[in-house]
């Protein structure tokens, strides 16, 4: 299975279920990058442009890359859910909402296949949705800023990966105290990447 074939399958299945939605697939380095960044779901700009992390989240991404001294195309960038979850406000405006369990369950198998194809050295999850999809029942408050281990399975393939959970940068906007925690976590991640975290079964 190539990335191209997998993306086509994901687009076809999502198009049948949500014909009105744009599918925003992962992009970037698909050959063993230092980092695969996993967000929750595309927002408005991402859905309009068909690319992950290009709106406000793109600004946060630039800062993330700056601290880690990496370029956007050095890493893989993806989301758990690959369509923009929306709701209509009482005033009739379209806005973002958290993805439903059904949306997450629909897209998670494609994320696992993507991870197994990409084989990143470190999975970096942003927020609880990505954390739960990757390591199961952990909460971000107790495991952010440290390296965890997980096993990713898709079909009859499985492999172990290191995971570094971060708060979602969007949550920092609503909770100023988290801004400093997020910065500290980024510096820890930089050190971990510089030192070369031992791989899963070492
Ligand atoms: N944009 C994305 O692509 N992912 C997020 O998690 C947030 C904004």
């Amino acid at each position: 299975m190539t990335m191209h074939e997998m993306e086509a399958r994901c687009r076809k299945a999502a198009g049948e279920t949500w014909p009105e939605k744009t599918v925003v697939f992962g992009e970037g380095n698909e050959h063993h990058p230092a980092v695969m960044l996993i967000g929750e779901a595309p927002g408005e700009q991402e859905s309009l442009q068909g690319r992950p992390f290009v709106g406000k989240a793109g600004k946060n991404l630039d800062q993330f890359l700056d601290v880690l001294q990496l370029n956007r195309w050095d890493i893989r960038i993806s989301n758990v859910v690959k369509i923009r979850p929306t709701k209509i406000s009482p005033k009739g405006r379209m806005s973002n909402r958290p993805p439903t369990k059904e949306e997450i369950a629909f897209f998670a198998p494609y994320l696992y296949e993507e991870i197994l194809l990409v084989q990143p050295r470190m999975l970096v999850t942003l927020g609880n949705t990505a954390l739960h999809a990757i390591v199961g029942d952990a909460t971000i408050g107790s495991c952010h800023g440290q390296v965890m281990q997980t096993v990713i399975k898709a079909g009859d393939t499985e492999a172990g990966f290191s995971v570094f959970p971060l708060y979602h940068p969007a949550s920092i906007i609503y909770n100023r105290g988290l801004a400093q925690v997020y910065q500290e976590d980024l510096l820890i991640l930089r050190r971990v990447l510089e030192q070369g975290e031992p791989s899963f079964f070492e």
Side-chain angles (χ1 to χ4, degrees):
M1 170 73 53
T2 65
M3 186 70 81
H4 192 74
E5 287 164 351
M6 199 272 283
E7 177 173 348
R9 245 194 316 116
C10 176
R11 287 188 183 281
K12 182 165 183 286
E16 283 163 7
T17 311
W18 296 279
E20 74 290 1
K21 298 263 182 179
T22 302
V23 175
V24 179
F25 204 73
E27 68 175 29
N29 185 344
E30 51 186 78
H31 304 289
H32 202 47
V35 167
M36 177 166 170
L37 189 65
I38 304 172
E40 179 175 277
E44 183 180 17
Q45 274 305 313
E46 285 77 13
S47 184
L48 285 171
Q49 298 183 40
R51 295 182 55 206
F53 288 91
V54 290
K56 275 204 199 91
K59 292 245 169 2
N60 294 320
L61 175 63
D62 289 342
Q63 189 224 356
F64 172 91
L65 293 168
D66 241 28
V67 174
L68 300 182
Q69 295 166 316
L70 291 167
N71 291 311
R72 183 175 174 108
W73 298 100
D74 291 336
I75 69 168
R76 179 80 184 173
I77 299 169
S78 198
N79 283 301
V80 177
V81 168
K82 289 172 168 55
I83 54 167
R84 179 190 178 202
T86 54
K87 61 179 182 208
I88 307 291
S89 74
K91 286 186 185 157
R93 298 240 308 264
M94 194 179 274
S95 63
N96 296 338
R97 60 163 170 76
T100 61
K101 279 201 185 71
E102 290 72 27
E103 288 161 341
I104 294 169
F106 181 94
F107 285 104
Y110 298 103
L111 177 68
Y112 302 148
E113 286 191 47
E114 189 180 354
I115 292 167
L116 288 168
L117 284 167
V118 170
Q119 292 286 320
R121 274 175 48 213
M122 184 69 74
L123 292 166
V124 178
T125 57
L126 298 179
N128 264 321
T129 300
L131 177 64
H132 293 156
I134 297 301
V135 299
D137 57 354
T139 55
I140 190 75
S142 54
C143 65
H144 68 92
Q146 54 197 340
V147 181
M148 305 177 74
Q149 305 296 335
T150 196
V151 174
I152 298 291
K153 297 191 182 88
D156 49 16
T157 311
E158 65 175 54
F161 292 91
S162 296
V163 187
F164 193 91
L166 289 173
Y167 281 101
H168 198 295
S171 67
I172 291 167
I173 299 167
Y174 306 106
N175 185 344
R176 284 266 131 216
L178 290 183
Q180 194 183 346
V181 174
Y182 179 79
Q183 283 303 323
E184 288 165 4
D185 287 351
L186 276 190
L187 293 175
I188 297 169
L189 176 57
R190 182 167 82 182
R191 240 189 355 259
V192 167
L193 293 175
E194 279 166 2
Q195 285 166 358
E197 189 62 18
S199 76
F200 190 68
F201 291 111
E202 277 172 349

